[in-house]
């Protein structure tokens, strides 16, 4: 008998199970709206032209080698990544109170930040500090903080299903009622899965309550530039909170905006009260990294670093990002127009009011089951779709499928 006989079978990760089911489907008109990755209008992955260019530069650079990077990562990557999040004119950067930790994607940045907070925030090893995540949120948020040892993970109001928009009243009420020093995970832009973001005025109200109530801000920034096409616009909330004097963390992912999904390029930006505090924080994060992955990989970080630190390459990257963002915006406009032309019951304004890769359609689980089972259109049970899965060739079929789901299934 195996010593592992009592190990239970874990359930599959929903989004990857959905992709596996899609691959096994032989239907000629099948559509995958589940996977969280960009696709061209030919429904193919896109290697950004600037990434191809920089990869060639790396290959031809004889000064590079495969020696270990510093434990906290490639210095020029970390500083450039933090500057993208906070802005070239960031006072916090000029005051030497901003640091970065290179991580294995956004998930790695979240995990290092969560592990540090559990060890050193609101007391030592305080597993009882409440951690609030939006309802709904990216499924990994709950798991990352739970696996870091936090015992009290709570939802905060976010999605108003009836009005298909932000539940601002519920969100502010939860902020007011949360115990002081609670941790709030905020989506910097392009909220996953709803695609619904606060306005700038709403962000100001959120910041006012969080400052008054002494709540800790942990931004998850996975879509900067990808949401609106503007790096600055998508980072507005982060920069506002920093300008308001918050000490905070920002988990950055370069998977979406660089198309480097399998390179696992992330950065944890730390904004501290002063440089002395920053030094102590990074010293503890270095110890966490040492026993987690010891040293980060170099390839993806070099691609991002060389791009961000060269004005010409940086400009080309911004144009590449805007290409992706513009295609998503076009698909939003077309899907809304086609649903309205079909006379699909309900309002579909939320399709264009939302932003980023994902849209929360408002379809219920029974309608989703119809979409998958009868129409071979694959989407998450929550009704979330990846707008990048829509193309000029399949959008009519998808719109008709949504129309039938809404009219035939209650």
């Amino acid at each position: 008998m195996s010593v592992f006989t009592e190990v239970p079978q874990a359930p599959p990760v929903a989004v990857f199970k959905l992709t596996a089911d899609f691959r096994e489907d032989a239907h000629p008109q099948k559509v995958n709206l589940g996977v969280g990755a960009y696709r061209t209008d030919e429904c193919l992955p896109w290697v950004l032209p600037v990434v191809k260019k920089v990869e060639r530069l790396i290959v031809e650079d004889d000064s590079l080698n495969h020696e270990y990077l510093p434990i906290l990562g490639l210095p020029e990557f970390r500083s450039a990544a933090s500057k993208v999040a906070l802005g070239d004119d960031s006072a916090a950067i000029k005051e030497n109170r901003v640091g970065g930790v290179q991580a294995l994607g956004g998930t790695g940045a979240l995990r290092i930040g969560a592990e540090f907070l559990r060890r050193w925030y609101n007391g030592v090893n305080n597993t009882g500090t409440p951690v609030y995540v939006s309802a709904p949120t990216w499924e990994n948020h709950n798991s990352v903080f739970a696996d870091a040892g936090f015992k009290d993970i709570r939802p905060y109001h976010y999605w108003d299903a009836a009005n298909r928009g932000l539940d601002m009243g519920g969100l502010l009420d939860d902020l007011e009622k949360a115990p002081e020093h609670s941790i709030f995970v905020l989506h910097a832009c392009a909220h996953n899965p709803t695609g619904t973001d606060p306005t700038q005025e709403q962000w100001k109200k959120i910041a006012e309550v969080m400052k008054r109530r002494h709540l800790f801000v942990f931004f998850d920034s996975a879509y900067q530039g990808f949401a609106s096409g503007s790096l600055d616009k998508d980072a507005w909330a982060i920069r506002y909170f920093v300008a308001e004097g918050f000490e905070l963390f920002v988990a950055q992912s370069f998977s979406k905006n660089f198309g480097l999904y399998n390179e696992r390029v992330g950065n944890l930006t730390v904004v501290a009260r002063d440089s002395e505090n920053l030094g102590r924080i990074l010293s503890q994060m270095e110890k966490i990294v040492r026993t987690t992955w010891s040293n980060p990989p170099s390839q993806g970080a070099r691609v991002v670093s060389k791009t961000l630190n060269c004005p010409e390459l940086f400009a080309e990257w911004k144009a590449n990002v805007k290409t992706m963002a513009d295609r998503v915006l076009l698909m939003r406009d077309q899907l809304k127009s086609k649903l309205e032309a079909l006379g699909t019951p309900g309002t579909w304004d939320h399709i264009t009011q939302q932003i980023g890769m994902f849209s929360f359609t408002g379809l219920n689980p029974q309608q989703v089951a119809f979409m998958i089972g009868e129409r071979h259109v694959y989407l998450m049970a929550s009704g979330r779709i990846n707008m990048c899965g829509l193309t000029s060739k399949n959008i009519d079929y998808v719109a008709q499928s949504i129309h039938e789901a809404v009219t035939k299934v209650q």
Side-chain angles (χ1 to χ4, degrees), residues 54-105:
V54 174
E55 285 177 330
R56 285 193 291 269
L57 292 174
I58 290 172
V59 168
E60 295 166 0
D61 188 344
D62 291 333
S63 70
L64 297 177
N65 54 50
H66 294 290
E67 294 293 297
Y68 289 119
L69 295 184
I71 293 173
L72 292 181
L74 193 68
E76 55 268 34
F77 162 76
R78 293 156 49 206
S79 59
S82 294
K83 186 179 290 187
V84 164
L86 303 186
D88 291 335
D89 58 349
S90 171
I93 292 177
K94 293 174 183 176
E95 293 161 5
N96 296 315
R97 56 188 183 90
V98 175
V101 178
Q102 183 184 333
L104 301 189

Side-chain angles (χ1 to χ4, degrees), residues 44-211:
L44 296 173
W46 191 44
V47 180
L48 274 59
V50 72
V51 168
K52 287 185 176 181
K53 182 180 294 186
V54 174
E55 285 177 330
R56 285 193 291 269
L57 292 174
I58 290 172
V59 168
E60 295 166 0
D61 188 344
D62 291 333
S63 70
L64 297 177
N65 54 50
H66 294 290
E67 294 293 297
Y68 289 119
L69 295 184
I71 293 173
L72 292 181
L74 193 68
E76 55 268 34
F77 162 76
R78 293 156 49 206
S79 59
S82 294
K83 186 179 290 187
V84 164
L86 303 186
D88 291 335
D89 58 349
S90 171
I93 292 177
K94 293 174 183 176
E95 293 161 5
N96 296 315
R97 56 188 183 90
V98 175
V101 178
Q102 183 184 333
L104 301 189
T107 303
L110 284 164
R111 182 57 189 266
I112 296 299
E115 183 71 26
F116 173 87
L117 291 172
R118 195 261 301 150
R119 294 187 187 191
W120 299 110
Y121 173 71
N122 195 27
V124 177
N125 197 32
N126 189 349
T127 61
T129 301
V131 177
Y132 285 79
V133 298
S134 64
T137 193
W138 181 50
E139 61 183 18
N140 242 7
H141 282 153
N142 289 279
S143 301
V144 165
F145 282 87
D147 285 356
F150 286 98
K151 304 298 185 184
D152 188 4
I153 300 172
R154 310 179 184 182
Y156 63 83
H157 285 84
Y158 195 87
W159 175 249
D160 181 347
N163 296 304
R164 297 185 179 181
L166 179 65
D167 181 4
M168 186 62 179
L171 171 51
L172 291 176
D173 188 54
D174 287 339
L175 290 172
E176 292 283 6
K177 292 178 179 177
E180 287 193 352
H181 308 298
S182 294
I183 299 164
F184 273 75
V185 180
L186 303 176
H187 300 232
C189 68
H191 181 272
N192 180 5
T194 70
T196 297
D197 291 346
T199 64
Q200 291 185 4
E201 289 305 310
Q202 288 172 328
W203 275 122
K204 290 179 180 179
K205 292 179 181 177
I206 292 168
E208 185 275 319
V209 178
M210 294 193 76
K211 180 186 287 187

Side-chain angles (χ1 to χ4, degrees), residues 107-370:
T107 303
L110 284 164
R111 182 57 189 266
I112 296 299
E115 183 71 26
F116 173 87
L117 291 172
R118 195 261 301 150
R119 294 187 187 191
W120 299 110
Y121 173 71
N122 195 27
V124 177
N125 197 32
N126 189 349
T127 61
T129 301
V131 177
Y132 285 79
V133 298
S134 64
T137 193
W138 181 50
E139 61 183 18
N140 242 7
H141 282 153
N142 289 279
S143 301
V144 165
F145 282 87
D147 285 356
F150 286 98
K151 304 298 185 184
D152 188 4
I153 300 172
R154 310 179 184 182
Y156 63 83
H157 285 84
Y158 195 87
W159 175 249
D160 181 347
N163 296 304
R164 297 185 179 181
L166 179 65
D167 181 4
M168 186 62 179
L171 171 51
L172 291 176
D173 188 54
D174 287 339
L175 290 172
E176 292 283 6
K177 292 178 179 177
E180 287 193 352
H181 308 298
S182 294
I183 299 164
F184 273 75
V185 180
L186 303 176
H187 300 232
C189 68
H191 181 272
N192 180 5
T194 70
T196 297
D197 291 346
T199 64
Q200 291 185 4
E201 289 305 310
Q202 288 172 328
W203 275 122
K204 290 179 180 179
K205 292 179 181 177
I206 292 168
E208 185 275 319
V209 178
M210 294 193 76
K211 180 186 287 187
R212 174 165 47 80
R213 299 279 301 125
H214 304 290
L215 304 173
F216 188 83
V217 179
F218 198 146
F219 276 110
D220 186 353
S221 179
Y223 302 95
Q224 187 182 352
F226 195 99
S228 69
S230 166
L231 293 170
D232 296 328
K233 184 176 180 180
D234 290 349
W236 188 91
I238 296 171
R239 295 174 187 180
Y240 180 79
F241 275 71
V242 173
E244 287 295 295
F246 283 84
E247 290 183 279
L248 53 78
F249 291 172
V250 184
Q252 297 170 264
S253 168
F254 293 94
S255 295
K256 307 295 192 299
N257 55 17
F258 265 85
L260 293 171
Y261 303 98
N262 66 12
E263 294 289 355
R264 312 311 300 137
V265 189
N267 186 61
L268 177 63
T269 288
V270 177
V271 180
R273 181 66 60 208
D274 51 47
S275 59
E276 189 270 335
N277 270 285
L278 176 67
R280 288 186 288 105
I281 293 167
L282 292 179
S283 76
Q284 291 295 338
M285 288 188 172
E286 187 173 59
K287 294 180 75 67
I288 296 169
V289 170
R290 179 62 175 153
T291 59
T292 306
W293 52 70
S294 188
N295 304 84
S298 68
Q299 177 69 8
R302 281 175 175 160
V303 170
V304 173
S305 176
K306 285 183 176 292
T307 303
L308 298 184
N309 286 303
C310 171
E312 293 79 12
L313 293 171
F314 185 65
E316 184 175 348
W317 172 61
K318 287 196 292 184
N320 289 173
V321 172
K322 192 171 188 308
T323 295
M324 294 189 286
D326 286 349
R327 193 181 102 69
V328 172
L329 292 170
L330 177 64
M331 290 297 101
R332 287 187 179 279
D333 284 336
Q334 290 189 3
L335 181 60
K336 177 192 171 187
S337 296
K338 291 179 184 298
L339 289 170
E340 289 178 342
L342 288 167
T344 308
T347 175
W348 298 97
D349 292 340
H350 59 285
I351 298 291
T352 51
Q353 290 169 350
Q354 295 167 359
I355 196 168
M357 179 176 285
F358 301 114
S359 177
F360 225 43
T361 59
L363 296 177
N364 63 41
Q366 293 75 28
Q367 291 165 340
V368 170
F370 173 86

